[in-house]
Amino acid sequence: MNVSNLFDLKNNLVVITGGAGLLGKQHTEALIEANAEVVILDICKTALSDLKEYFFLEYQKEILTLEVDITKEEQILKAKELIFDKYNKYPNILINNAAIDPKFEKNSKVNKSRLENFELNQWNLEISVGLSGAMLCSKIFGIEMAKNSRGVILNIASDLGVIAPDQRLYKQDGLSDEEQNVKPVTYSVIKHGIIGLTKYIATYWADKGVRCNAFAPGGVFNNHPDEFLEKVTNLIPMKRMANVGEYKSSILFLCSDASSYMNGATLNMDGGRSVW
Ligand SMILES: NC(=O)c1ccc[n+]([C@@H]2O[C@H](COP(=O)([O-])OP(=O)(O)OC[C@H]3O[C@@H](n4cnc5c(N)ncnc54)[C@H](O)[C@@H]3O)[C@@H](O)[C@H]2O)c1
């Protein structure tokens, strides 16, 4: 077989969680460009309708977008049946991409991003999306993949699923230690945890034809302030952040038969940051 055919996703049905965000749109483009059908689950109604309109205008493609909170099992189950009603089959590819990017109040007396002040309800909220939601979707869609003896589950981790955050990146002049913002503990735990989930599923359903891998991308440039950009690029051997569309080819590789013998692995793509 010609190797380029391995990247073709004709007759593949993909579900992407948190697909209406910055990278979800890129994942969707990659998969549609490879002829897949794509269904987006996201909690944000307006982002979903913008996304639907974008793919209709730019790709002449009617994609199914469903407003779903992936922390709610009954909502995922309902989405699964709506998908079946439309396509007469269940998805054979799942991308666990949803996560919360927490914002902490600036100028607040108590800096809640810091471990000393980190609140349990914030921990529970982020874990419920980034880990519990990924587990629930893997369970609910993975069952059908295993029954069908065909499936791919791709978990979106991060370079910070492989290394610790460098808190010096977030330091601001003129603030005391207690006032400095940090990358929250939840980010590390969720991104390392999703790599654990990947290894678990990769061995659990391997004999049922379901592969599971993780993708660990570095930060994407999204108009970050110059000061942050300079600091972060000093930590990256390639001296730059990723461009927004730069992960599309990896997503396609990981979802398609091009990666048919890859299972339980984490693909790092971070300009070399995690090897320094
Ligand atoms: N952007 C980056 O630089 C970067 C780098 C490394 C890893 N990542 C990871 O890539 C993934 C996508 O990142 P992004 O930059 O597109 O983030 P984003 O915030 O733009 O998108 C995340 C999406 O998840 C959705 N979401 C949140 N809670 C949900 C819930 N309960 N149910 C359903 N959907 C929910 C949001 O509405 C949003 O559309 C995340 O897992 C992120 O951690 C991003």
Side-chain angles (χ1 to χ4, degrees):
M1 185 191 268
N2 184 305
V3 72
S4 58
N5 294 340
L6 296 174
F7 293 87
D8 190 8
L9 289 177
K10 195 163 186 276
N11 299 323
N12 286 259
L13 180 57
V14 189
V15 62
I16 307 179
T17 70
L22 178 73
L23 292 185
K25 184 177 178 185
Q26 302 299 318
H27 307 335
T28 309
E29 283 189 1
L31 301 167
I32 283 180
E33 287 166 16
N35 306 312
E37 294 294 338
V38 180
V39 178
I40 303 296
L41 311 186
D42 203 290
I43 200 169
C44 182
K45 199 174 179 175
T46 48
L48 282 171
S49 70
D50 290 350
L51 191 82
K52 201 174 176 71
E53 189 182 333
Y54 171 81
F55 281 101
F56 189 71
L57 292 175
E58 299 296 323
Y59 285 74
Q60 292 73 53
K61 190 89 190 158
E62 186 79 61
I63 57 168
L64 180 61
T65 55
L66 299 171
E67 190 185 341
V68 173
D69 177 349
I70 59 155
T71 68
K72 306 277 187 299
E73 190 161 13
E74 68 285 358
Q75 293 191 22
I76 308 169
L77 286 166
K78 192 171 162 214
K80 185 169 100 165
E81 292 321 312
L82 288 171
I83 295 168
F84 189 86
D85 289 348
K86 180 167 164 85
Y87 295 99
N88 204 29
K89 61 181 181 182
Y90 293 113
N92 63 300
I93 300 173
L94 163 68
I95 305 184
N96 283 314
N97 168 77
I100 291 183
D101 187 12
K103 300 276 178 274
F104 295 91
E105 208 186 310
K106 280 186 183 152
N107 311 322
S108 139
K109 266 204 155 152
V110 178
N111 187 328
K112 294 188 177 170
S113 70
R114 300 188 65 83
L115 186 56
E116 297 88 331
N117 307 322
F118 208 79
E119 291 180 339
L120 185 59
N121 58 4
Q122 183 68 31
W123 167 276
N124 287 338
L125 174 72
E126 291 179 50
I127 299 275
S128 74
V129 177
L131 281 181
S132 311
M135 181 279 290
L136 286 173
C137 289
S138 301
K139 168 179 126 173
I140 290 167
F141 293 106
I143 289 167
E144 306 302 334
M145 296 181 199
K147 273 191 211 157
N148 229 355
S149 307
R150 176 182 181 227
V152 172
I153 298 176
L154 175 59
N155 292 324
I156 305 299
S158 161
D159 53 358
L160 301 186
V162 183
I163 56 171
D166 187 334
Q167 305 292 7
R168 291 171 299 182
L169 283 177
Y170 313 99
K171 266 207 152 140
Q172 285 176 288
D173 289 342
L175 295 182
S176 67
D177 277 358
E178 293 73 31
E179 290 168 320
Q180 296 290 349
N181 263 329
V182 294
K183 193 77 175 173
V185 60
T186 33
Y187 198 80
S188 278
V189 171
I190 289 166
K191 294 309 181 184
H192 280 77
I194 208 154
I195 292 175
L197 179 69
T198 301
K199 292 178 186 176
Y200 186 92
I201 296 173
T203 51
Y204 192 82
W205 277 323
D207 62 346
K208 301 276 189 296
V210 181
R211 298 190 291 118
C212 183
N213 292 295
F215 183 50
V220 175
F221 178 66
N222 192 15
N223 301 315
H224 294 87
D226 287 348
E227 195 191 334
F228 175 83
L229 195 62
E230 193 187 329
K231 283 197 217 165
V232 76
T233 52
N234 277 330
L235 295 178
I236 303 169
M238 287 181 73
K239 283 258 176 255
R240 66 174 179 86
M241 298 183 81
N243 299 319
V244 74
E246 219 164 354
Y247 296 134
K248 286 171 66 173
S249 50
S250 302
I251 296 294
L252 178 55
F253 166 71
L254 289 162
C255 288
S256 68
D257 284 346
S259 60
S260 57
Y261 196 54
M262 192 162 170
N263 188 33
T266 300
L267 180 65
N268 297 350
M269 192 165 174
D270 57 15
R273 178 170 169 188
S274 58
V275 291
W276 240 352

